[in-house]
Amino acid sequence: MCGIVGYVGPRQSQPILLAGLSRLEYRGYDSAGIAVIDGGGDLGMRKRAGKLKILRDDLTAHPLSDGTTGIGHTRWATHGGPTDANAHPHLADDDKLAVIHNGIIENFSELKSELVAEGYTFRSETDTEVAAVLLGREYREAGGNLVEAFRMVVARLEGAFTLLAMHRDHPGLVVGARRNSPLVIGLGDGENFLASDVAAFVEHTRRALAIGQDEIVAITPEGVEVTDFSGDEVDVEPFEVMWDAAAADKGGWSSFMAKEVSEEPDAVANTVRGRVKDGAVAIPELDGLDGLFADITRIIVIACGTAAYAGVVGKYALEQWARVPVDVELAHEFRYRDPVIGPDTLVVSISQSGETMDTLMAVKYAREAGAKTLSICNTQGATIPRESDAIVYTHAGPEVAVASTKAFVAQITALYLLALHIGRVRDALTAEQAADNVRELEAVPAKIQQVLDREQSRIEQFAHWMADTRSVLFLGRHVGYPIALEGALKLKELAYIHAEGFAAGELKHGPIALIEPGQPVFVIVPSPRESAELHKKVVSNIQEIRARGARVIVIAEEGDAAVLPFADEVLRIPLAGPLFEPLLAVVPLHIFAMGLATAKGLDVDQPRNLAKSVTVE
Ligand code: F6R
């Protein structure tokens, strides 16, 4: 939800800003812009509606003179449509000051009225321009001290924001502030960076600093100064980015999504790596934190979208292995319904980005209500883990495609490790039972690889044949149910097709009315060896829809012959225990959604209307 990058140093800033923006484009892609203080000390700015390529082409055709201080922005529109005028940067103080912003300034109309009454004029419909004009006013008030002016501005703003600004009078200085929106510092040699995400600067440096809530940062080529909103210096937490620029490159793949689906085996393997010792789960981040789990009477998992579906899969494992009751809640629903929580509740949040505002607000709410909080997150230095009592990182690597794929399997993996850990801490599992499950988990990456090797091209082929399909249904039971929901969400997001996921048992309670001749239905079938009872039930469900003319595509274990008479297509997954099937069954669904969207000529990395990191409520 808006990507931000800032640079100060000895190099020309434009190529650095544009490269940074292309790595942040997943955050928003309806307009983009940059501002640069050029060699002559003038401030130049260019911004364009549309994808970054439009800005890049414009800059090639009509170059902006370059300089060594600059800021850049890629937008996901909130206030004001995606037009040139509403794109960032916004200028103020007689066009000497440039400002970019991520978030929503909730009291912007009140501030705007105040500024209009003082005679200020506006060129856009955005809340950001209000912050820019206000900053221009306070800059004069502060005698030309940009950091001081920031302090005065942030004291007036309500809502969520990351703001970056630079002023023509101060080449070599970029100032930023954050509240409830991300901002990280990249530390170079004689140069420094600010960005929404380390991806923007990782090709230049892997040394980073995470800025806390309500802090202001000033970067110059020589150094970095971080203060809180009252002006007191604060210590910032350094960290080393765990992946390099190549990990966030498309490589030879046709899309980031194709690359990321191919990385699903690694996402699981890397999330397990370093967390198993002598066959037992040993999560270094949870060392000394057994107290978090000892006295809890319930767990609430909070997340949104795909991460919430990972949470539903995790619920089955947490209840089975840790024997603690688990509820899974959409973060935005949880936060606003006065939930009953307290010190006996462990709230586990799941977020790839670690910045989803709905999830962040729910975590804060839970903390304030006295609950214990644990974050499962894929992004170092992100806000949600910083707001939590404990963190278990997923190690899926950078996920660039807007729709989540490899992070989903990594999230399930992290939840399973956590469930085994809590199960042991609470004596709900014997060492032997835990070790058996660890072995199963360790075998998953190779099994996902088999699904990719054996089924990918066949699935892509029939996705191609189904390019004109207008509606697809997905059915599953037990852990297959959240996988059905994930299959449907991915198809909606990527291929813009009506898709719905149902618990297969629910079919006869209503959704079966949707079945008409030719209706494609994916069914995730549990193992006949491991879950004989459930398997029988799902096969009956298949017969029911088949009898009504559905075109049935089955995802079933190798050797399951019972499904053959009723299936139009059978996609095979390797044998696995019931709780490990979702990690395999989801792979064909990711491939299918990606294949169908590709067949329709759609951009699978940047689906319409979406942004990867949803930092507004
Ligand atoms: C779906 C998707 C979204 C995210 C959701 C939460 O493909 O990507 O539904 O899962 O917006 O995002 P994070 O995990 O960053 O909190």
Side-chain angles (χ1 to χ4, degrees), residues 303-308 350-356 359 384 399 401-405 407 411 486 489-490 493 611-614:
C304 301
T306 283
I350 310 171
S351 176
Q352 187 287 129
S353 62
E355 301 293 347
T356 298
T359 310
I384 295 172
E399 193 178 61
V402 165
S404 199
T405 53
Q411 285 160 349
E486 165 66 2
L489 176 61
K490 217 87 311 167
E493 281 183 290
K612 189 153 186 72
S613 184
V614 185

Side-chain angles (χ1 to χ4, degrees), residues 478-501:
H478 191 254
V479 279
Y481 169 44
I483 297 305
L485 298 175
E486 165 66 2
L489 176 61
K490 217 87 311 167
L491 195 60
K492 283 183 242 199
E493 281 183 290
L494 298 182
Y496 317 150
I497 287 178
H498 168 253
E500 280 194 71

Side-chain angles (χ1 to χ4, degrees), residues 82-377:
T83 60
D84 285 356
N86 289 335
H88 304 206
H90 291 280
L91 302 183
D93 196 22
D94 296 330
D95 294 350
K96 288 183 284 188
L97 173 75
V99 175
I100 54 179
H101 165 226
N102 172 29
I104 288 187
I105 296 165
E106 284 164 5
N107 58 335
F108 88 104
S109 53
E110 181 190 317
L111 293 169
K112 191 169 183 174
S113 310
E114 176 183 322
L115 292 162
V116 168
E118 289 175 26
Y120 290 96
T121 54
F122 291 84
R123 290 173 274 201
S124 77
E125 303 151 282
T126 62
D127 52 344
T128 309
E129 195 184 7
V130 175
V133 171
L134 189 64
L135 187 65
R137 187 185 80 179
E138 308 302 36
Y139 176 77
R140 286 167 187 223
E141 197 64 24
N145 182 330
L146 191 55
V147 173
E148 200 44 48
F150 250 81
R151 207 155 278 133
M152 291 154 80
V153 167
V154 294
R156 300 289 316 276
L157 302 182
E158 288 167 19
F161 51 84
T162 300
L163 286 168
L164 288 198
M166 57 178 200
H167 197 286
R168 204 183 79 171
D169 296 347
H170 302 284
L173 172 71
V174 174
V175 180
R178 64 160 296 219
R179 165 178 290 163
N180 290 337
S181 265
L183 185 61
V184 279
I185 306 170
L187 295 173
D189 285 329
E191 60 182 3
N192 288 305
F193 306 80
L194 286 172
S196 312
D197 177 336
V198 296
F201 56 69
V202 74
E203 67 180 293
H204 309 292
T205 179
R206 287 169 71 177
R207 286 186 300 140
L209 297 173
I211 309 173
Q213 247 340 11
D214 289 1
E215 288 174 2
I216 294 178
V217 53
I219 60 165
T220 60
E222 296 78 35
V224 164
E225 237 180 65
V226 185
T227 47
D228 62 21
F229 281 3
S230 344
D232 296 324
E233 253 185 60
V234 287
D235 285 337
V236 269
E237 218 178 280
F239 65 93
E240 183 84 13
V241 182
M242 285 173 63
W243 42 273
D244 60 14
D249 274 340
K250 211 192 287 187
W253 294 90
S254 56
S255 62
F256 278 107
M257 176 156 285
K259 175 177 181 246
E260 288 160 12
V261 169
S262 83
E263 289 169 347
E264 290 190 12
D266 293 342
V268 174
N270 292 339
T271 300
V272 175
R273 182 162 302 128
R275 278 135 173 202
V276 174
K277 207 166 155 204
D278 303 328
V281 169
I283 305 173
E285 299 100 303
L286 299 182
D287 269 357
L289 294 179
D290 285 359
L292 269 185
F293 312 112
D295 303 325
I296 51 169
T297 58
R298 61 197 286 230
I299 295 175
I300 301 181
V301 178
I302 50 171
C304 301
T306 283
Y309 300 150
V312 180
V313 177
K315 170 186 162 95
Y316 290 83
L318 280 161
E319 291 198 334
Q320 186 166 327
W321 295 336
R323 301 309 296 157
V324 187
V326 181
D327 291 308
V328 183
E329 301 235 19
L330 295 171
H332 35 90
E333 289 295 318
F334 168 79
R335 163 79 180 77
Y336 291 102
R337 66 165 178 75
D338 198 11
V340 182
I341 49 173
D344 63 339
T345 315
L346 173 69
V347 170
V348 176
S349 65
I350 310 171
S351 176
Q352 187 287 129
S353 62
E355 301 293 347
T356 298
M357 184 61 75
D358 291 314
T359 310
L360 172 62
M361 287 305 163
V363 169
K364 284 186 169 191
Y365 179 90
R367 265 193 104 163
E368 277 157 26
K372 302 176 171 87
T373 54
L374 182 146
S375 152
I376 292 180
C377 180

